[in-house]
Amino acid sequence: MEEVDNIIIDALRNLSCNIDENVKSLKEFTTEMVFSSMSHCLETILPDISLPGSLPQSMSLRLKHATAIAEHIKGLGYRGDMGYQTILYCNEIEVRRVLMFLVERLPRETHKTVTDELGYVPRLVKKIEETIRLNLEKPWVPCDLLRQGVRDCGSVDLKLDFGHSPRLLSERIQVPNLQDEPVTEALKHYWIHHLPDVSRQCAPHNLIPSLLYNDSKFVGTVDFIKSPENKETSLNVVDGVEEVPNAIVAPLVVNEVVGHGEEDHFRDLHNELEDYKRKHEGLVKVYNDLEQESNKTKEMRNKKEQVLKESVAKIKTRSKTMAVLKNDDNLIKLKSLVENGNKRLVELANHWNDIQTPLLKEYEQLQQQMNTQKAKLLGEEQKLQNVKTKKAELLKELADKEKLERQLLQECETLHKNTNRSAYTRRILEIIGNIKKQNDDIDKILYDTKIVQKDINNLNGQLDRSFTLSDELIFRDAKRDEMSRKAYKLLATLHGDCGEVVQAVTNLGLVERECRNLQEQIDAELLRETGSKLERLNADIAAIKKENAELENKEH
């Protein structure tokens, strides 16, 4: 018998293991299907993103991909609780809500146009369009925050700022030119035998900037150059930069080549040019200072002239007034004019009062009417707002009801056609009868509870009155009787102990009620299969730890 029992126990254990493995594989398959469906829906709604179609074996990659899908769903406006746990540890109700949300946002019609572009130019145009689109999708960032003006846009780097490019430095070079002015034989001899090549007159990396600068003929800012014959020759000014004509430089160069050599001549000429530059800058500065002082002097003179004109006008007005006032007839006329003016002002004021009084009354009446109309309008606006709010609530409720109706219609269509309606009607009537019976029981319990509470309140009142009466009677005798004093103390102790007992009973009732609430919550959690989810979560955490340990071992 023991062997048979052992065999049965082993068989039951194997069966239990097989059932657990099947359940685990079924949950894994369900998770895989949920992930795949959400991934395909998101790729259809958002064509620009690319998501994996299946879950990888690595737990860390699973968490990463599930979190990415959850973020995309939240970005579409899903308001429910959404995270990687909704996908990896799926619940039927939550998954249904998410899938319904994604199905509602699927595009109605999808038109995919494929254009076969051949050749280098179409591909280049497409690449340029893609680069511009990436640049427009990115938010604007100041160029100072970019590294060397380059912005990373995934597989493309965009050059947005050329301020970090190397500077172009130029050097002074001499290039023979036979077209500007007549050239002497000595100058030609200097160009042929003594002038170095252009590539040797400056550094190699400054050759192109130097040639461009020399071609623009901007050779410096000077005032005058003295020729060997002690003649001063002015220079042409081009945009604030003075130009040395070849006609002036050529004779100087030729004479110095013939006399003392070109190096000393150019050194002296350069020093002389620098001196003239400094003189010119000093004269320009002095000229600017003098011009500013001149402007200030002109402004002061204009202000004084304006003050002088005003003073002359006032003096003329006063002189005319004094000339008029010296004559007595003029004074009498002025007084009569003033009196007539005062009388006229009084008459106008009285007339204005007569006109103003009815206007003010009418204004007050209109103001009151306007305030009344404003109050009515505010009331109407409030009513309109309430109506709009109620309309929105009704529309929302109508949409929910329509959605529920569609859902119920779908469920009704999926039901078997030969379903016995009388059985469902009988079952509904039984449920209604049970609900009525439960409501009657609940009402009876509530009525009994009210009666018990009323009796408790009456007993508490009788107890308080009895204690008060006993306290007064014993306290009177306690002043002159020792036994009464002891009885009074015992009464107070008994009252306190009874109060503690009542409080303990009350607390016990509260604890029992909390225990019942906790038990209901525990039952609800058991229905949600929290334990199995926690076991899967612990298993996933162990897998992640194992993967991290393997990665650390590989790194070492």
Side-chain angles (χ1 to χ4, degrees):
M1 291 297 293
E2 293 180 357
E3 294 179 356
V4 174
D5 293 339
N6 293 330
I7 292 171
I8 293 172
I9 291 170
D10 293 336
L12 290 174
R13 287 177 180 174
N14 294 329
L15 182 61
S16 177
C17 292
N18 292 330
I19 291 171
D20 293 337
E21 291 178 358
N22 292 330
V23 170
K24 187 176 180 181
S25 61
L26 182 61
K27 290 181 178 178
E28 190 70 24
F29 177 74
T30 305
T31 305
E32 183 76 24
M33 292 299 294
V34 170
F35 181 85
S36 177
S37 59
M38 290 184 181
S39 176
H40 289 303
C41 288
L42 285 174
E43 286 182 348
T44 306
I45 296 170
L46 304 172
D48 296 336
I49 65 174
S50 178
L51 296 172
S54 60
L55 283 172
Q57 295 296 328
S58 176
M59 195 61 210
S60 58
L61 292 177
R62 286 189 175 194
L63 289 175
K64 181 179 178 181
H65 294 329
T67 304
I69 288 178
E71 292 295 331
H72 285 302
I73 292 173
K74 284 184 179 179
L76 291 176
Y78 184 72
R79 297 184 179 180
D81 186 11
M82 187 65 199
Y84 68 90
Q85 72 278 358
T86 309
I87 302 172
L88 297 180
Y89 316 111
C90 54
N91 188 3
E92 182 181 356
I93 299 173
E94 294 177 354
V95 170
R96 182 181 297 160
R97 290 176 182 172
V98 176
L99 291 177
M100 289 294 293
F101 173 78
L102 293 175
V103 168
E104 289 177 356
R105 275 154 182 76
L106 287 173
R108 301 299 179 189
E109 295 180 359
T110 305
H111 299 284
K112 295 183 179 180
T113 58
V114 180
T115 58
D116 296 332
E117 296 180 350
L118 301 176
Y120 173 74
V121 175
R123 289 198 301 270
L124 180 61
V125 171
K126 186 176 180 181
K127 186 176 180 182
I128 293 171
E129 291 177 354
E130 184 68 18
T131 305
I132 294 173
R133 186 183 63 80
L134 290 174
N135 192 15
L136 293 176
E137 287 180 355
K138 294 286 185 179
W140 179 82
V141 178
C143 296
D144 296 336
L145 301 179
L146 300 176
R147 186 176 181 181
Q148 295 184 356
V150 179
R151 183 169 188 178
D152 185 12
C153 294
S155 60
V156 180
D157 293 334
L158 298 178
K159 183 74 173 177
L160 301 179
D161 183 21
F162 295 91
H164 299 277
S165 303
R167 298 176 58 189
L168 298 177
L169 301 177
S170 62
E171 299 181 15
R172 186 61 63 85
I173 60 175
Q174 293 184 8
V175 180
N177 191 356
L178 300 175
Q179 297 179 359
D180 291 343
E181 296 291 341
V183 181
T184 61
E185 294 295 331
L187 186 57
K188 290 182 180 180
H189 183 269
Y190 166 72
W191 285 346
I192 295 170
H193 298 285
H194 298 282
L195 184 64
D197 295 337
V198 176
S199 60
R200 296 181 180 179
Q201 294 182 19
C202 62
H205 57 274
N206 295 335
L207 178 60
I208 294 177
S210 301
L211 290 172
L212 294 173
Y213 179 78
N214 185 76
D215 187 60
S216 64
K217 298 182 181 181
F218 290 156
V219 295
T221 304
V222 295
D223 289 338
F224 298 92
I225 293 181
K226 293 183 178 181
S227 63
E229 291 80 13
N230 295 328
K231 294 182 180 179
E232 295 183 350
T233 307
S234 62
L235 303 179
N236 297 327
V237 180
V238 181
D239 294 336
V241 180
E242 295 182 351
E243 176 186 354
V244 181
N246 293 332
I248 298 173
V249 179
L252 293 174
V253 174
V254 173
N255 291 332
E256 290 297 328
V257 168
V258 176
H260 303 287
E262 69 278 4
E263 293 182 0
D264 295 338
H265 167 67
F266 280 114
R267 188 181 300 108
D268 296 338
L269 183 61
H270 180 69
N271 294 331
E272 189 175 357
L273 289 174
E274 293 295 332
D275 294 337
Y276 281 117
K277 284 181 183 179
R278 287 192 292 270
K279 290 180 182 180
H280 179 263
E281 291 175 356
L283 291 173
V284 170
K285 186 176 181 182
V286 172
Y287 174 75
N288 293 332
D289 295 337
L290 292 175
E291 188 175 4
Q292 291 179 359
E293 292 180 359
S294 175
N295 293 330
K296 292 180 181 179
T297 305
K298 288 180 180 179
E299 291 178 358
M300 292 176 63
R301 187 185 66 182
N302 293 331
K303 291 180 180 178
K304 290 182 179 180
E305 288 179 355
Q306 187 67 26
V307 172
L308 181 61
K309 289 180 181 179
E310 293 177 356
S311 301
V312 170
K314 290 180 181 179
I315 290 171
K316 289 181 179 180
T317 303
R318 290 181 180 178
S319 61
K320 289 180 181 180
T321 304
M322 294 301 295
V324 171
L325 293 175
K326 287 181 180 179
N327 192 350
D328 294 336
D329 296 334
N330 293 331
L331 288 174
I332 294 169
K333 290 179 181 179
L334 286 173
K335 288 180 180 180
S336 61
L337 288 174
V338 170
E339 290 177 356
N340 293 330
N342 291 330
K343 291 179 181 179
R344 181 62 178 169
L345 287 174
V346 171
E347 291 176 357
L348 291 173
N350 294 329
H351 184 61
W352 171 245
N353 290 329
D354 296 336
I355 297 172
Q356 186 182 15
T357 301
L359 291 176
L360 287 175
K361 291 181 180 179
E362 186 178 358
Y363 173 74
E364 290 176 356
Q365 292 177 358
L366 293 174
Q367 190 70 24
Q368 290 178 358
Q369 292 178 1
M370 186 175 66
N371 293 332
T372 306
Q373 290 179 357
K374 283 183 178 180
K376 290 181 180 179
L377 288 174
L378 290 175
E380 295 295 332
E381 288 179 358
Q382 187 67 29
K383 290 181 181 178
L384 181 61
Q385 190 66 29
N386 294 333
V387 170
K388 287 182 179 179
T389 306
K390 190 173 181 181
K391 178 184 176 183
E393 293 176 355
L394 291 174
L395 289 175
K396 184 178 179 182
E397 185 178 358
L398 179 61
D400 295 337
K401 294 291 180 63
E402 290 178 352
K403 184 177 179 182
L404 181 60
E405 182 184 2
R406 290 194 298 270
Q407 184 178 356
L408 292 175
L409 287 174
Q410 292 176 359
E411 292 179 359
C412 181
E413 291 175 357
T414 56
L415 291 176
H416 198 270
K417 298 296 183 180
N418 297 325
T419 303
N420 192 358
R421 185 174 180 181
S422 61
Y424 281 105
T425 307
R426 185 172 59 253
R427 188 175 177 183
I428 292 169
L429 293 175
E430 290 176 359
I431 292 170
I432 293 171
N434 293 329
I435 292 171
K436 288 182 179 180
K437 186 177 179 181
Q438 290 176 2
N439 289 331
D440 294 336
D441 294 337
I442 291 169
D443 294 336
K444 185 177 180 181
I445 292 169
L446 291 175
Y447 180 72
D448 295 339
T449 304
K450 290 180 180 179
I451 292 173
V452 172
Q453 187 66 37
K454 186 176 180 181
D455 294 338
I456 290 171
N457 293 332
N458 293 331
L459 291 174
N460 286 329
Q462 291 178 5
L463 181 61
D464 292 336
R465 289 192 296 272
S466 299
F467 174 73
T468 304
L469 183 59
S470 302
D471 188 14
E472 291 178 356
L473 294 174
I474 296 172
F475 183 72
R476 291 175 187 174
D477 297 335
K479 295 179 180 179
R480 54 183 178 275
D481 189 3
E482 186 67 25
M483 293 299 292
S484 298
R485 292 176 186 173
K486 292 181 180 180
Y488 183 74
K489 291 180 180 179
L490 292 173
L491 178 63
T493 305
L494 179 63
H495 183 70
D497 294 340
C498 291
E500 292 178 357
V501 170
V502 172
Q503 186 64 33
V505 172
T506 304
N507 293 334
L508 181 61
L510 294 175
V511 170
E512 289 179 354
R513 186 170 62 186
E514 290 179 358
C515 289
R516 286 195 298 271
N517 293 332
L518 291 174
Q519 186 63 36
E520 291 176 357
Q521 293 179 4
I522 290 169
D523 295 337
E525 291 295 330
L526 290 175
L527 292 175
R528 294 174 63 182
E529 298 180 355
T530 307
S532 61
K533 290 183 180 178
L534 289 175
E535 291 178 359
R536 294 178 64 187
L537 183 61
N538 291 326
D540 294 339
I541 291 171
I544 291 172
K545 289 181 179 179
K546 185 177 178 180
E547 291 175 2
N548 291 334
E550 291 177 357
L551 291 174
E552 290 178 357
N553 294 329
K554 288 182 181 179
E555 289 178 358
H556 293 300

